[in-house]
Amino acid sequence: MIKEIKNNLKEQLEKYYKDNFNLAVEFVVEEPKKAELGDISIPVFALIKPLGKKLPEITAEVCEVIKGFDLPVENISAVGGFVNMFISREKIAKIVLAKCIEDGLDYGKSNVGEGKNITLDYSSPNIAKSFSIGHLRSTMIGNSLKKIYDKCGYSTYGINYLGDWGTQFGKMIVAYKTWGDKEKILADPINELTALYVKFHKEAVDHPELEDKAREAFRKMELRDPEYLELWEKIRELSLKESEQIYKILEVKFDSYRGEAFYNDKMDSVVEELESKGLLVEDNGAQIVKLGDDMPPALIKRSDGGSLYITRDIAAVLYRKKMLNFSKILYVVGNEQKLHFEQLKSVVKKMGYDFADDIIHVNFGLYLTNGKKASTREGNVVKLYDVIKYANSLALNQINEKNPNLKNKEEIAEKVAVGAIIFNDLKNFRGLDVEFDLEKSIKFEGQTGPYLQYTGVRINSILKDKTFDNKNIDLSLFTKNHYFELVRLIDDFENVIIEAAEEYSPSVIARYLLNLATAFNKLYSLEKMNIDDEVIRNTNFTLLAATKNVLEEGLRLLGIKYLEEM
Ligand code: ARG
């Protein structure tokens, strides 16, 4: 609402000066430096020169002009070169709170995406290797973005483009044939397969011929050797279980699990199309597409005929466009694949497809531990599952300290732990690296997921078991800054979600929720909420109920559980 008022002010002022003085000035509608000065501030310096008048004369004129608009603004006054005003806080509070409470968890929904599809490619782990921390990031960012686009009215389609084809399967097949024990694997697939993978890498240090064997095994897969395909299929199925275990904990779902292998039979036609469009060039026995001076060429087919990551991605994006007719396709993948996606876009463009511009690489930074790249690979197998288990124990310790009699402690601890990991990931712009400090991110205070969950719990404990009449409230309370700040934020929720969608960054919502929690905590420190005066109590509770509603929905958009108690 406030945003519309601001836009309106700007448009009407610009029209006024156009119509009356034939001036094309651009007005900027800002917030004053100090909240006491008002909710809106408009600098008018730009009018001095063209109007040839003194500043006081101009500000007085602008004040009068604004008074003539039919907008809910009041106390219009000039300070220096600025015209400041308050919006009619009472009117706005009334409308915003009523809408928020009426809409419930639908509040913040928009239809900016109506009729459009957003396809998301996220998580996409290379199975038969341990699930890496980078894939964890992709999973959480993608999962949140999907919810954000749904909320904006888009139809969405989430694809887990499994890395289910590649030399890692060759390694697993060799490891399995050399040391594998079928019974053991079936009994405990995740741990047994990880152990085999680790063993392969350990042994390969002294026996490099194992690597040759693995390449040979993968080659057999590519040549469709039935024995090897069958082993591949089995290993694929079993290794998916590790990822599924993580998806279950994080409550992440996909519409499709079509991975790299699905495109095995769809690459030849890509090569033919490139050929027929005159884009393929031979280079030392390999086939490449040249992409100009600023970009290395895309290697489409290796000299030994082996298939390539980019060729598969070209096949996949053409297939997806045909099947889903997306208006955008988002690839939630780390910064290190920047060039890959630039090449993908460029090749698709050269093939003559306009939708190349709708291919978006939603990039993200690394996880750091003590400033160094964190890894789950090879010898140093930090299993994500173990990380989550450790986070659970930290969360449980805190609960035992703060609320030892809580029921379902373990269950709640897991939601706190997962909330902590997700929030730590999403709170900063995704392109940045993330310091992975579990101890810090799981604290109930500071900029953490548990802090937000805990804020929800506090609000909930005030409101719990109490009834109140949200129609019988004292709107004059909203002239106080610490009351109105929450209304302002609640009003902004829809815009914030749209902005997160535009920037492909859940962090916009994460930062917003921190502000919301801070505004609540400020109000709570200044005013007693549950008081005898019925009308004031109604007002307080109405505001808290709306705040809680937005907090709950905002957390859901990030993939974090709102908790009633913790
Ligand atoms: N499996 C790939 C990797 O781990 C990520 C796949 C991303 N998606 C894509 N369409 N290339 O590096």
Side-chain angles (χ1 to χ4, degrees), residues 500-563:
E502 281 168 354
E503 297 192 6
Y504 317 111
S505 190
S507 65
V508 178
I509 294 175
R511 313 302 310 175
Y512 166 86
L513 291 179
L514 287 173
N515 291 338
L516 188 77
T518 306
F520 159 74
N521 284 310
K522 174 145 190 207
L523 174 74
Y524 191 57
S525 70
L526 293 173
E527 308 274 352
K528 197 159 161 19
M529 293 288 111
N530 187 8
I531 55 171
D532 291 339
D533 184 305
E534 195 190 333
V535 178
I536 298 186
R537 195 177 62 234
N538 276 339
T539 317
N540 290 343
F541 283 12
T542 302
L543 180 59
L544 292 193
T547 305
K548 174 187 138 170
N549 190 44
V550 169
L551 181 62
E552 178 172 357
E553 178 59 4
L555 285 173
R556 187 193 69 82
L557 291 173
L558 298 180
I560 300 175
K561 274 273 167 356
Y562 163 83
L563 299 169

Side-chain angles (χ1 to χ4, degrees), residues 91-104:
K91 279 189 203 155
I92 292 189
K94 186 172 174 201
I95 299 172
V96 168
L97 295 180
K99 180 160 175 49
C100 181
I101 288 179
E102 185 177 324
D103 287 0

Side-chain angles (χ1 to χ4, degrees), residues 150-195:
D150 282 332
K151 185 96 181 169
C152 292
Y154 292 89
S155 80
T156 59
Y157 194 81
I159 303 173
N160 191 345
Y161 182 64
L162 293 176
D164 57 3
W165 197 255
T167 43
Q168 78 267 27
F169 282 89
K171 290 176 186 174
M172 284 306 286
I173 289 176
V174 171
Y176 173 74
K177 287 188 141 194
T178 324
W179 312 290
D181 175 335
K182 201 167 168 187
E183 300 302 307
K184 265 169 121 183
I185 295 177
L186 289 176
D188 182 9
I190 297 173
N191 288 318
E192 283 304 313
L193 289 181
T194 313

Side-chain angles (χ1 to χ4, degrees), residues 2-226:
I2 300 175
K3 193 175 171 189
E4 280 91 71
I5 296 174
K6 289 181 173 173
N7 286 342
N8 248 308
L9 260 175
K10 178 180 160 72
E11 274 167 28
Q12 294 198 39
L13 273 175
E14 286 170 1
K15 181 165 170 356
Y16 177 87
Y17 281 95
K18 179 94 198 119
D19 292 352
N20 293 290
F21 299 92
N22 198 23
L23 278 184
V25 264
E26 262 214 48
F27 284 91
V28 192
V29 180
E30 332 170 312
E31 270 165 42
K33 300 257 167 336
K34 291 192 198 121
E36 304 87 82
L37 291 174
D39 301 308
I40 292 179
S41 179
I42 303 177
V44 299
F45 303 99
L47 291 172
I48 302 177
K49 217 169 158 196
L51 289 180
K53 292 183 192 160
K54 293 232 165 60
L55 201 48
E57 222 179 310
I58 294 174
T59 48
E61 184 181 295
V62 173
C63 286
E64 280 315 303
V65 172
I66 293 175
K67 277 180 200 154
F69 297 159
D70 182 23
L71 287 174
V73 292
E74 56 201 27
N75 296 334
I76 306 164
S77 69
V79 177
F82 295 87
V83 170
N84 298 333
M85 71 209 78
F86 287 84
I87 37 191
S88 307
R89 293 182 168 192
E90 301 178 28
K91 279 189 203 155
I92 292 189
K94 186 172 174 201
I95 299 172
V96 168
L97 295 180
K99 180 160 175 49
C100 181
I101 288 179
E102 185 177 324
D103 287 0
L105 295 177
D106 270 344
Y107 184 71
K109 208 162 106 177
S110 66
N111 53 11
V112 291
E114 216 168 78
K116 285 183 253 173
N117 168 280
I118 297 273
T119 294
L120 300 101
D121 175 319
Y122 62 110
S123 194
S124 311
N126 298 324
I127 53 170
K129 284 185 182 178
S130 300
F131 197 100
S132 86
I133 275 177
H135 295 108
L136 181 68
R137 285 214 78 185
S138 172
T139 308
M140 296 185 290
I141 298 171
N143 179 52
S144 172
L145 284 176
K146 185 163 189 285
K147 293 181 197 298
I148 291 170
Y149 284 101
D150 282 332
K151 185 96 181 169
C152 292
Y154 292 89
S155 80
T156 59
Y157 194 81
I159 303 173
N160 191 345
Y161 182 64
L162 293 176
D164 57 3
W165 197 255
T167 43
Q168 78 267 27
F169 282 89
K171 290 176 186 174
M172 284 306 286
I173 289 176
V174 171
Y176 173 74
K177 287 188 141 194
T178 324
W179 312 290
D181 175 335
K182 201 167 168 187
E183 300 302 307
K184 265 169 121 183
I185 295 177
L186 289 176
D188 182 9
I190 297 173
N191 288 318
E192 283 304 313
L193 289 181
T194 313
L196 277 179
Y197 190 69
V198 171
K199 188 168 169 83
F200 180 93
H201 284 274
K202 271 214 187 100
E203 296 285 328
V205 178
D206 294 326
H207 304 279
E209 69 279 6
L210 281 170
E211 299 277 2
D212 296 331
K213 276 191 167 171
R215 263 190 294 275
E216 190 44 39
F218 178 56
R219 229 185 112 65
K220 291 217 167 101
M221 279 165 55
E222 294 240 88
L223 294 172
R224 310 254 150 283
D225 177 316

